[in-house]
């Protein structure tokens, strides 16, 4: 177990971490990326772009936001994905960032949650604005940005007792990761990159209330700000506007202000340039909260092994830890979630869906499905119990769970799993990710012609050979 760093035990001569990250980002090239990093980053880019597209038709809020932003007008630089209309790059980054998590479908690192979705929307928007950005250059920029996002999140997890900090890592750390990726795309030097990180720091904000609050649908917009700030911070630094120089380690910098000076400096800086935690990233096979996934996976495994249908189920008992307990109790509330976003969080509703249909898809969270009588009747057969062995511990990955299904013929089926499909130890294949991407594209407000979709899939599959990623974005945007 690594030791936490506090403000008291950092030497006055310790170099500002923003300077270290800036210097590394400027120096690294595509050929410097360790084996596997380019491929995994390419997967993250494709997956992130893909999960943005469905929000254009499945999220009323996303459509209203897109219409609001497009009403501003301005120079058409970058695509508002799913709608096929262009806006100024920083506004396109904002809308695409807002849409990236509307479906709760973006990538999922077991120790750092969503590491690509705060970074990729900004990088895509700026790359399209710049024009002529190669796949190799995009991969390199996203790799350093995602690496920073992951390092910040993991370093912050070193809180006493594994207690979750109140800050939401996607918007708070995302502005740094997005700004670093965009600085790399613009070819900024070290001082300009430090400035960009310092400018981004002034916008770092957002608490976990966006996750736990049940009275709004704004939760899906949690990754919006990095998409805007990343583009804008890098552009302002390029113009010569200076930012905070000690944004991470300063007396009123990120760590001292947001985390009481407590973080893990080894996780933050150790192996920089050689250790890329994107290699441990995971991708979601189902469009719902990660804490529901182990139960979806267990139901599907039991169905494959025992061949039962939903109408054969008498009762279901799910065993959950503390975090999933908050998405299970009170049962009456979570059996009938008040909106689609809460449905994606609900363990009973999601388990009922997979028992009833055999899978969990984007369409299963549409309004008509949320009030489907047969799904709700199945949810009424689901109860829960708490077991602290499945408690969430920050930095220790997403916990497993147990399920017991009693069938009407008297059979009792039980399963326990430490992790779900999509976890890096149980990963999705390229074929699985491509199937997911195609399915997401089918929900785009702008119809994607089959030939264009095929070309886009091939382009993302071989992203390092693409000469201009803007042309690739145009195929599906």
């Amino acid at each position: 177990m690594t030791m936490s760093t506090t403000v008291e035990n950092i030497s006055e001569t310790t170099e500002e971490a923003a300077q270290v990250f800036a210097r590394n980002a400027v120096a690294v090239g595509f050929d410097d990326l360790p084996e596997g990093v380019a491929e995994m980053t390419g997967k993250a880019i494709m997956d992130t772009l893909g999960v943005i597209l469905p929000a254009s038709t499945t999220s009323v809020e996303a459509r209203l936001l897109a219409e609001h932003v497009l009403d501003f007008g301005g120079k058409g630089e970058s695509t508002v994905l799913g709608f096929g209309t262009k806006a100024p790059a920083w506004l396109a980054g904002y809308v695409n960032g807002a849409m990236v998590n509307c479906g709760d479908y973006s990538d999922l690192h077991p120790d750092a949650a969503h590491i690509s979705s705060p970074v990729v929307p900004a990088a895509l928007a700026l790359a399209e604005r710049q024009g002529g950005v190669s796949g190799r250059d995009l991969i390199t920029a996203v790799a350093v940005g995602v690496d920073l996002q992951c390092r910040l999140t993991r370093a912050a997890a070193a809180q006493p007792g594994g207690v979750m900090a109140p800050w939401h890592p996607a918007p708070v750390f995302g502005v740094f990761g997005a700004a670093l990726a965009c600085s790399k795309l613009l070819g900024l030097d070290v001082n300009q990159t430090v400035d960009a990180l310092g400018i981004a720091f002034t916008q770092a904000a957002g608490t976990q209330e966006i996750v736990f609050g049940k009275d709004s649908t704004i939760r899906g917009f949690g990754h919006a700000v990095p998409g805007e700030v990343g583009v804008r911070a890098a552009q302002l630094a390029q113009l010569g506007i200076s930012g905070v120089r000690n944004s991470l380690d300063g007396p009123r910098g990120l760590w001292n202000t947001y985390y009481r000076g407590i973080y893990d400096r080894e996780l933050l800086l150790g192996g920089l340039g050689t250790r890329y935690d994107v290699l441990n990233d995971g991708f979601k096979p189902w469009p719902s909260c990660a804490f529901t996934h182990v139960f979806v996976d267990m139901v599907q495994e039991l169905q494959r092994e025992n061949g039962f249908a939903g109408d054969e189920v008498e009762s279901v008992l799910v065993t959950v830890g503390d975090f999933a307990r908050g998405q299970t109790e009170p049962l009456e509330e979570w059996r009938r979630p008040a909106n689609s976003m809460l449905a994606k969080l609900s363990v009973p509703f999601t388990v009922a869906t997979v028992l009833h249909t055999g899978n969990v898809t984007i369409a299963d969270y549409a309004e008509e499905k949320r009030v489907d009588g047969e799904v709700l009747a199945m949810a009424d057969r689901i109860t829960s119990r708490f077991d602290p062995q499945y408690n969430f511990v920050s930095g220790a990955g997403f916990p497993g769970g147990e399920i017991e299904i009693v069938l009407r013929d008297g059979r009792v089926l039980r399963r326990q799993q430490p992790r779900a499909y999509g976890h890096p130890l149980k990963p999705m294949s390229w074929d699985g990710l491509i199937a997911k991407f195609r399915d997401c594209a089918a929900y785009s407000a702008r119809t994607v012609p089959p030939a264009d979709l095929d070309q886009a899939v091939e382009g993302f599959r071989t992203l390092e050979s693409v000469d201009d990623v803007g042309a690739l974005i145009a195929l599906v945007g």
Side-chain angles (χ1 to χ4, degrees):
M1 180 175 179
T2 55
M3 298 297 292
S4 297
T5 300
T6 66
V7 66
E8 288 81 7
N9 59 33
I10 296 178
S11 167
E12 292 183 0
T13 62
T14 298
E15 185 177 17
E16 160 64 37
Q19 181 80 20
V20 179
F21 283 113
R23 188 168 59 247
N24 176 72
V26 169
V28 70
F30 180 85
D31 292 333
D32 299 315
L33 299 176
E35 183 179 358
V37 171
E39 181 181 14
M40 184 62 85
T41 302
K43 288 179 177 179
I45 292 170
M46 182 186 75
D47 187 72
T48 303
L49 190 157
V51 301
I52 292 171
L53 299 175
S56 63
T57 58
T58 61
S59 170
V60 173
E61 295 78 18
R63 178 179 57 79
L64 292 172
L65 176 63
E67 291 175 350
H68 177 62
V69 167
L70 291 171
D71 187 54
F72 292 160
K75 189 176 180 181
E77 299 175 325
S78 306
T79 303
V80 178
L81 295 168
F83 295 98
T85 307
K86 290 191 175 184
W90 62 279
L91 285 175
Y94 181 78
V95 179
N96 293 336
M99 293 197 293
V100 75
N101 205 41
C102 281
D104 215 337
Y105 214 3
S106 52
D107 70 332
L108 196 72
H109 189 286
D111 297 325
H114 308 289
I115 60 173
S116 299
S117 50
V119 176
V120 172
L124 291 176
L126 188 59
E128 193 175 8
R129 177 190 184 275
Q130 291 298 102
V133 174
S134 70
R136 289 164 65 95
D137 288 342
L138 179 64
I139 287 171
T140 306
V142 170
V144 297
V146 167
D147 189 53
L148 176 55
Q149 172 76 27
C150 190
R151 286 171 177 271
L152 288 167
T153 306
R154 293 190 66 207
Q159 301 303 303
V163 176
M164 179 183 291
W167 305 106
H168 193 310
V172 172
F173 300 141
V175 296
F176 292 98
L180 192 65
C182 289
S183 297
K184 182 67 175 174
L185 285 172
L186 289 179
L188 302 189
D189 64 24
V190 173
N191 284 330
Q192 290 173 313
T193 302
V194 171
D195 283 333
L197 294 173
I199 293 168
F201 170 58
T202 65
Q203 305 277 314
T207 75
Q208 293 284 3
E209 188 61 25
I210 198 172
V211 175
F212 294 104
K214 300 177 183 178
D215 55 352
S216 79
T217 52
I218 196 65
R219 180 180 187 270
F221 287 6
H223 300 193
V225 171
E228 169 202 346
V229 172
V231 174
R232 187 158 45 80
Q235 289 179 320
L236 292 178
Q238 186 181 44
L239 291 173
I241 297 173
S242 59
V244 176
R245 302 297 294 181
N246 298 306
S247 55
L248 297 177
D249 295 326
R252 295 295 181 268
L254 179 80
W255 297 122
N256 289 326
T257 302
Y258 288 61
Y259 290 90
R260 297 172 297 153
I262 301 172
Y263 71 103
D264 191 316
R265 197 166 179 86
E266 174 59 27
L267 285 177
L268 181 68
L269 294 172
L272 185 62
T274 59
R275 188 196 80 211
Y276 284 81
D277 287 329
V278 70
L279 292 173
N280 296 315
D281 201 10
F283 299 97
K284 284 188 171 187
W286 304 290
S288 61
C289 175
F291 286 91
T292 70
H293 284 196
V294 72
F295 301 102
V296 174
D297 198 10
M298 288 190 291
V299 168
Q300 290 191 333
E301 291 285 358
L302 287 172
Q303 287 176 325
R304 279 190 286 267
E305 292 169 1
N306 299 277
F308 67 92
D311 58 9
E312 299 177 65
V313 174
E314 178 70 30
S315 65
V316 180
L317 175 66
V318 294
T319 300
V320 299
D322 53 359
F323 201 105
R325 188 181 193 178
Q327 297 166 213
T328 308
E329 301 174 3
L331 273 169
E332 294 73 17
E333 178 180 325
W334 286 106
R335 284 169 172 163
R336 284 163 172 72
N339 55 56
S340 177
M341 188 59 69
L342 290 177
K344 293 172 182 291
L345 291 169
S346 170
V347 174
F349 183 86
T350 300
V351 170
T353 297
V354 68
L355 282 167
H356 179 62
T357 68
N359 198 11
V360 178
T361 69
I362 294 170
D364 288 320
Y365 293 104
E367 184 63 20
E368 62 270 19
K369 294 296 183 72
R370 186 180 62 81
V371 295
D372 182 276
E374 292 183 336
V375 174
L376 297 181
M378 181 69 75
D380 287 338
R381 296 176 228 168
I382 298 172
T383 57
S384 67
R385 63 180 286 268
F386 169 70
D387 188 331
Q389 74 169 302
Y390 301 116
N391 282 358
F392 175 72
V393 177
S394 185
F398 287 82
E402 299 175 25
I403 195 165
E404 177 184 279
I405 300 174
V406 179
L407 301 180
R408 298 191 190 281
D409 62 10
R411 285 182 292 165
V412 179
L413 311 177
R414 297 184 179 90
R415 191 173 181 88
Q416 186 277 339
Q417 283 186 198
R419 64 187 64 88
Y421 176 51
H423 187 282
L425 295 179
K426 197 177 182 183
M428 293 183 70
S429 65
W430 260 115
D431 287 345
L433 286 168
I434 288 171
K436 174 183 172 179
F437 181 82
R438 288 181 177 278
D439 184 55
C440 285
Y443 289 87
S444 176
R446 169 190 172 263
T447 301
V448 182
D452 287 357
L453 183 57
D454 290 343
Q455 190 177 343
V457 166
E458 178 60 24
F460 282 113
R461 183 70 176 83
T462 58
L463 185 57
E464 64 183 77
S465 65
V466 170
D467 295 325
D468 184 356
V469 297
L472 193 56
I473 295 168
L475 291 170
V476 292

